[in-house]
Amino acid sequence: VLSSSSYLWRFGRWEFSLRCLAYTVPRLTHLGIYLSGLALTATPGKSGETFRSALLVQHGVSVTNSLAAFLVDRGTDVLGMILLGMLAAMIASQHFAWVWLLSLVLVLLGSSAFTYLLLHPSASAGWGRLGRSMPYFPIKVGQATLEAWAKVWTLPRVSAFSVIAMLAYGTQALVFSWFCHVLGTGISIADCVLIFVQATLFGAASMIPGGLGAMEAALVFQLVEHGVSDSSAISLAISIRLVTLWFGMLLGVFSLLIVSAQEPRTEG
């Protein structure tokens, strides 16, 4: 329950993103649709969660705008994890805490510069040339999606969304810390959070669906480096994945079944 509370934080961010794009969906229905996307979260970059777009179309939300909200989600997830890692590294008095800060600044500056270029008047000409050179690609869809993303991606919103992501993933990191405490590993809370963050980012960077195997290996490796026995490290890796990834997917399947049953059927 504690681990899954993170989805409520993330849903609030998602709903606000769509409100910024002038869309409003009944809240309980919207929550069900959002949770349904978790059924396909075990995909590279969680791209399977874009399945929400198909469900939201029936509520008047265009695919380009829901995809833009997805990009906002993923981008601020990364920023939130970096923010969480920086905070944990500072509390743990790690010498490389500045690397987290530098990463945060670079991602923020890089994304801000990209949004400026996307919304600049001269960008339309560039999209036109790209469309003519690659006529078989959905260039206009990509343009509409990125421009919608850029409208949401303002510094105040990104900062707030990143803090929300930090709270969401921080909750799961604290659950991992709790598990480590139960097994008497002797690892500090800050170090447990840092281990969780680094393993999560490594799993995401591997582009393996759901980070399966990669995140678990990163967790075990770091725990063993902190003096935890192999059997305890494996148990901790399995336990945290059961209450995060796998329970989240189960929750997504359950929500999808409810949403599907509630959707009106068109008589053929």
Side-chain angles (χ1 to χ4, degrees):
V1 171
L2 181 59
S3 174
S4 298
S5 67
S6 64
Y7 301 127
L8 295 177
W9 289 101
R10 290 164 59 186
F11 168 67
R13 176 186 59 180
W14 170 272
E15 186 178 44
F16 188 76
S17 294
L18 286 185
R19 284 181 181 272
C20 291
L21 295 169
Y23 290 103
T24 303
V25 180
R27 185 155 295 164
L28 284 178
T29 301
H30 199 183
L31 176 61
I33 291 173
Y34 180 80
L35 293 176
S36 297
L38 299 177
L40 298 172
T41 196
T43 46
K46 299 184 179 180
S47 57
E49 291 187 17
T50 56
F51 173 71
R52 295 187 191 109
S53 296
L55 299 176
L56 286 169
V57 164
Q58 301 178 55
H59 295 274
V61 181
S62 69
V63 172
T64 54
N65 284 286
S66 56
L67 287 179
F70 172 78
L71 293 178
V72 171
D73 255 22
R74 294 287 72 79
T76 51
D77 273 353
V78 172
L79 287 169
M81 291 297 285
I82 293 174
L83 199 58
L84 183 62
M86 182 182 70
L87 183 61
M90 290 172 65
I91 294 173
S93 300
Q94 296 281 356
H95 296 299
F96 56 85
W98 64 270
V99 176
W100 292 97
L101 177 60
L102 179 62
S103 300
L104 183 68
V105 171
L106 288 176
V107 173
L108 272 176
L109 289 178
S111 60
S112 297
F114 186 51
T115 57
Y116 173 79
L117 292 174
L118 282 172
L119 298 177
H120 196 272
S122 61
S124 297
W127 282 113
R129 288 193 295 271
L130 191 62
R132 288 191 293 273
S133 62
M134 294 188 293
Y136 299 105
F137 287 86
I139 301 299
K140 289 186 177 180
V141 174
Q143 177 185 1
T145 300
L146 288 175
E147 287 178 348
W149 166 80
K151 291 175 183 177
V152 180
W153 197 268
T154 63
L155 187 57
R157 288 175 189 153
V158 170
S159 300
F161 288 173
S162 298
V163 171
I164 289 172
M166 182 184 72
L167 292 172
Y169 287 101
T171 302
Q172 296 184 344
L174 289 176
V175 171
F176 175 68
S177 176
W178 182 20
F179 287 173
C180 290
H181 172 72
V182 169
L183 286 188
T185 61
I187 305 175
S188 69
I189 294 176
D191 281 328
C192 286
V193 171
L194 198 56
I195 289 171
F196 179 83
V197 169
Q198 291 174 159
T200 302
L201 290 174
F202 179 77
S206 70
M207 292 306 290
I208 297 173
L212 294 175
M215 182 174 175
E216 289 84 351
L219 286 170
V220 171
F221 176 79
Q222 291 179 92
L223 288 167
V224 170
E225 286 289 301
H226 280 77
V228 180
S229 67
D230 290 349
S231 58
S232 293
I234 293 172
S235 297
L236 287 166
I238 292 173
S239 298
I240 193 60
R241 293 291 266 171
L242 282 174
V243 300
T244 53
L245 174 68
W246 294 110
F247 184 76
M249 290 178 63
L250 182 63
L251 186 63
V253 171
F254 182 67
S255 298
L256 181 58
L257 291 174
I258 294 176
V259 170
S260 298
Q262 293 176 342
E263 288 295 336
R265 288 173 171 77
T266 303
E267 295 294 336

